[in-house]
């Protein structure tokens, strides 16, 4: 099982970006997928998550600006980020709890850089 991220990049403050994460491999079920971020010198923090039953959780910093969604057929999760601020600058990591052919595991993507300029 692998998590393959795409999207991210450089955007001006107030702009929008979308990051995507596709889970690949022999997957039987996905319990939850989400996005974390880590800014330089800071701990990794949860941004948003979505369960297989579509229960969604947002960090306070993401509420009202970010939208997480999932495609169960494609095993993909999306994070639409609007009204971006310089403090949103971080490496964004996809995370998923997956049951595959090798059993249950927690997986991380390689990370994608999001930079918001002021």
């Amino acid at each position: 099982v692998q998590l393959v991220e795409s999207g991210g990049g450089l955007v001006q403050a107030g702009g929008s970006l979308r990051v995507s994460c596709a889970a690949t491999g022999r997957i039987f079920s996905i319990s939850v997928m989400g996005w974390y971020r880590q800014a330089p010198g800071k701990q990794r923090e949860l941004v948003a998550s979505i369960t297989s039953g579509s229960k969604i959780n947002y960090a306070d910093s993401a509420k009202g600006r970010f939208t997480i969604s999932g495609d169960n057929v494609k095993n993909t999760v999306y994070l639409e980020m609007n009204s971006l601020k310089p403090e949103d600058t971080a490496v964004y990591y996809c995370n998923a709890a997956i049951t595959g052919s090798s059993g249950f595991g927690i997986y991380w993507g390689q990370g994608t850089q999001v930079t918001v300029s002021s």
Side-chain angles (χ1 to χ4, degrees):
V1 175
Q2 285 188 320
L3 301 181
V4 180
E5 300 160 352
S6 60
L10 174 65
V11 66
Q12 288 188 332
S16 299
L17 279 176
R18 188 176 85 156
V19 289
S20 303
C21 172
T24 64
R26 287 183 54 82
I27 296 169
F28 298 157
S29 65
I30 300 176
S31 304
V32 59
M33 295 187 79
W35 289 94
Y36 287 71
R37 67 186 183 187
Q38 187 166 19
K42 294 188 177 182
Q43 289 189 330
R44 191 173 296 188
E45 61 178 6
L46 174 69
V47 177
S49 64
I50 183 168
T51 69
S52 57
S54 298
K55 181 178 180 181
I56 290 174
N57 182 43
Y58 291 107
D60 288 343
S61 59
K63 290 178 181 177
R65 300 187 300 125
F66 294 2
T67 302
I68 190 170
S69 60
D71 184 328
N72 291 335
V73 175
K74 296 181 179 179
N75 290 333
T76 298
V77 65
Y78 307 95
L79 184 68
E80 183 76 32
M81 301 180 285
N82 298 312
S83 302
L84 282 161
K85 306 174 182 179
E87 50 263 44
D88 294 316
T89 295
V91 178
Y92 283 69
Y93 295 92
C94 180
N95 170 271
I98 296 174
T99 300
S101 57
S102 59
F104 176 82
I106 303 295
Y107 297 89
W108 290 91
Q110 77 280 5
T112 185
Q113 178 70 47
V114 171
T115 302
V116 184
S117 62
S118 57

